[in-house]
Amino acid sequence: MQTNTPERRRITPSVLYPGTPVVLMTTLNDDGSTNISPLSSFWALDDRVVLGIGTQGQGCHNLLARRECVLNFPGSHQAAQVEAIARATGRTPVPDAKQAMGYVHVGDKFALGGFTAIASRQVGPATIAECPLQVEVTLLATHRPSGAGDAHFVIAEGEVRCVHAHDAITIAGTQHIDVQRWQPLIYLFRHYLGVSAPLARNFRAETPASAAT
């Protein structure tokens, strides 16, 4: 019996980013200023979030030391701002591994990326005003990957304290995001992409059909 199964081959990609939202994590530096760390490993379930964070960056140091952060989600129109701080690190001196990849120390990533810092409500680090979706988080636990040897990353689990969203991406009179207007920046195999118009609606969606189609 013949089938129309597509041909496939086994591959070993250098990175596995099949499509995740870009997150700009803000954390408090030792001097009280706020650092910005671009992340691409994120997922959420109920009021819990899980992050994959490189241990050689200032963001990881700050998160472990003060156990709080803000997850700022940029829109697709902000790819240039995100890439402007991509090579920047708050660590000084710059770790050898990061220096070999082209990272340089930058003390003020807000200025470098053209971002504005505003006070958060429940945590110490500043929020990025221009990011349409902002999630304040308290760290609950960190995990070293089992069997990963000297892996230069940790898995961080946090609790959502509060969520802010630009009025323009919400549905008035509800607690919902308007998926027609919210266009997150997606990280796909080290390329930045936007998202298309909604294609369908899951049976559990709570937003009106008119807002998603």
Side-chain angles (χ1 to χ4, degrees):
M1 180 176 179
Q2 288 187 333
T3 64
N4 294 322
T5 303
E7 293 292 331
R8 66 173 186 164
R9 63 189 180 92
R10 182 171 179 173
I11 64 172
T12 306
S14 59
V15 295
L16 191 57
Y17 298 119
T20 53
V22 173
V23 181
L24 299 180
M25 181 182 73
T26 50
T27 54
L28 275 182
N29 293 316
D30 295 336
D31 64 2
S33 62
T34 296
N35 181 67
I36 305 176
S37 302
L39 304 179
S40 56
S41 298
F42 161 86
W43 66 272
L45 183 64
D46 196 32
D47 66 346
R48 296 291 188 267
V49 294
V50 176
L51 309 169
I53 307 173
T55 58
Q56 296 189 347
Q58 187 66 29
C60 185
H61 167 83
N62 293 345
L63 182 62
L64 295 179
R66 278 162 281 283
R67 305 187 70 79
E68 56 185 16
C69 67
V70 182
L71 305 179
N72 304 271
F73 293 82
S76 57
H77 64 287
Q78 295 172 301
Q81 288 179 278
V82 172
E83 185 60 18
I85 65 171
R87 292 180 180 271
T89 176
R91 288 291 297 274
T92 179
V94 179
D96 291 343
K98 293 182 78 73
Q99 192 171 25
M101 290 186 285
Y103 285 83
V104 295
H105 170 70
V106 175
D108 187 353
K109 297 182 191 176
F110 280 89
L112 181 63
F115 294 118
T116 305
I118 59 173
S120 299
R121 295 291 182 88
Q122 302 290 328
V123 298
T127 294
I128 301 175
E130 291 81 5
C131 288
L133 188 61
Q134 309 147 0
V135 182
E136 299 181 22
V137 172
T138 299
L139 181 67
L140 295 176
T142 57
H143 312 274
R144 294 279 182 171
S146 60
D150 296 326
H152 295 301
F153 66 91
V154 297
I155 299 169
E157 177 189 355
E159 179 182 10
V160 174
R161 300 292 302 280
C162 65
V163 178
H164 292 92
H166 288 187
D167 283 342
I169 68 165
T170 64
I171 300 174
T174 78
Q175 301 296 313
H176 301 302
I177 297 296
D178 188 333
V179 299
Q180 288 274 37
R181 296 180 177 181
W182 170 223
Q183 299 290 312
L185 182 62
I186 301 298
Y187 195 61
L188 179 64
F189 290 103
R190 290 182 175 157
H191 292 259
Y192 300 111
L193 277 74
V195 296
S196 65
L199 301 176
R201 181 173 178 270
N202 182 261
F203 77 99
R204 296 185 63 190
E206 297 178 2
T207 52
S210 60
T213 58

